[in-house]
Amino acid sequence: MRIIEAVDYEDMSRKAANIISAQITLKSDSVLGLATGSSPVGLYKCLVERYQNGDLDFSQVTSVNLDEYKGLSGDNDQSYRYFMNSHLFDHVNIDKIQTFVPNGLEADSRQECERYDQVLADVGRVDIQLLGMGHNGHIGFNEPGDFFHMGTHCVDLAQSTIEANKRFFATEEDVPRQAYTMGIGSIMQAAGILVIVSGAEKAGIVAEAFAGPVTPRVPASVLQLHHNVILVADQAALSELKKRMADL
Ligand code: F6R
């Protein structure tokens, strides 16, 4: 794993945007695996600026998103489809037909999971998978559990995730209790993985994920087994990991 230390959130966003920009520049028809949440907002802003400056062309890019709340339509301003449109897709020349997000409105979980796995198979290998990390070590919505899920599945969100995400909703009751997420197996198939983390409140989980045992209790720990992971994190988020590595 390569670790790139950033000063703060803005610096993390720029450094991560450099990596995605290089990917698109070097391979115009890249398949990007994308994430939502607070972590990538600054990164998407940088990508939009670079597109507007004429430095990036998304016309051949395909994207697959990690996850979507079950029960929310793409028009709902809390859905991850809405997030992607408003933070990135509406502002660059990506072909929306080539942007894929699980369908939160599909009530039949089995059908939606099979459909999304077929989408993943059809788009081919993800060139670079962007990941944020939950406070409990989740990646996508792969919550801590007894085993690593391979393919797309419907999850019951952990209480800590509901609490972390209630800031985006009017009340905690409005946070959907289930989501569709790409499985760990699919995430691990990406050619490269870019993890972005910021803030002192994630310092402990970053250390557990990257210097602790590989366990489904800390889903992000599986990334230790991937051959091409870049962690771009600010000083605050890296503080515990650096201490642990110094002790090794
Ligand atoms: C979102 C996703 C989640 C987030 C994680 C961190 O698509 O897959 O795993 O990356 O919950 O969220 P933030 O960035 O809001 O702290």
Side-chain angles (χ1 to χ4, degrees), residues 35-40 66-67 80 131-135 138-141 165 167-168 202:
T36 60
S38 303
S39 304
L66 285 165
D67 41 19
Y80 286 170
L131 295 176
M133 200 192 294
H135 294 88
H138 73 217
I139 48 176
F141 272 137
N165 289 1
R167 66 192 193 277
F168 299 115
K202 289 196 182 160

Side-chain angles (χ1 to χ4, degrees), residues 163-185:
E163 269 158 35
N165 289 1
K166 72 181 180 199
R167 66 192 193 277
F168 299 115
F169 293 82
T171 69
E172 186 178 318
E173 283 62 51
D174 294 329
V175 185
R177 269 31 190 182
Q178 290 189 310
Y180 291 121
T181 183
M182 222 188 250
I184 294 286

Side-chain angles (χ1 to χ4, degrees), residues 111-143:
Q111 194 172 310
E112 178 53 15
C113 293
E114 283 177 9
R115 185 195 71 83
Y116 206 62
D117 278 341
Q118 191 57 52
V119 166
L120 298 178
D122 291 346
V123 301
R125 196 173 194 198
V126 168
D127 291 293
I128 189 158
Q129 175 66 56
L130 176 65
L131 295 176
M133 200 192 294
H135 294 88
N136 59 4
H138 73 217
I139 48 176
F141 272 137
N142 291 274
E143 299 284 27

Side-chain angles (χ1 to χ4, degrees), residues 139-214:
I139 48 176
F141 272 137
N142 291 274
E143 299 284 27
D146 295 331
F147 58 92
F148 294 116
H149 283 267
M150 297 310 285
T152 305
H153 54 290
C154 179
V155 285
D156 295 328
L157 298 182
Q159 186 55 33
S160 61
T161 301
I162 292 166
E163 269 158 35
N165 289 1
K166 72 181 180 199
R167 66 192 193 277
F168 299 115
F169 293 82
T171 69
E172 186 178 318
E173 283 62 51
D174 294 329
V175 185
R177 269 31 190 182
Q178 290 189 310
Y180 291 121
T181 183
M182 222 188 250
I184 294 286
S186 306
I187 291 172
M188 290 292 279
Q189 277 172 28
I193 296 186
L194 172 60
V195 190
I196 53 172
V197 195
S198 72
E201 69 283 1
K202 289 196 182 160
I205 196 67
V206 167
E208 269 187 67
F210 294 107
V214 174

Side-chain angles (χ1 to χ4, degrees), residues 67-81 102-109 112 141 154-155 157 169 174-180:
D67 41 19
E68 178 62 283
Y69 287 117
K70 185 173 179 184
L72 298 193
S73 79
D75 296 334
N76 185 306
D77 63 5
Q78 295 309 328
S79 74
Y80 286 170
R81 162 55 76 182
N103 176 10
L105 277 192
E106 177 54 68
D108 183 333
S109 299
E112 178 53 15
F141 272 137
C154 179
V155 285
L157 298 182
F169 293 82
D174 294 329
V175 185
R177 269 31 190 182
Q178 290 189 310
Y180 291 121

Side-chain angles (χ1 to χ4, degrees), residues 57-101:
D57 176 12
F58 287 81
S59 61
Q60 304 301 316
V61 168
T62 297
S63 71
V64 282
N65 260 79
L66 285 165
D67 41 19
E68 178 62 283
Y69 287 117
K70 185 173 179 184
L72 298 193
S73 79
D75 296 334
N76 185 306
D77 63 5
Q78 295 309 328
S79 74
Y80 286 170
R81 162 55 76 182
Y82 190 96
F83 175 102
M84 290 310 303
N85 287 347
S86 55
H87 286 281
L88 184 65
F89 301 154
D90 284 345
H91 310 290
V92 298
N93 65 336
I94 198 164
D95 179 355
K96 283 240 186 97
I97 299 291
Q98 289 303 112
T99 68
F100 300 95
V101 181

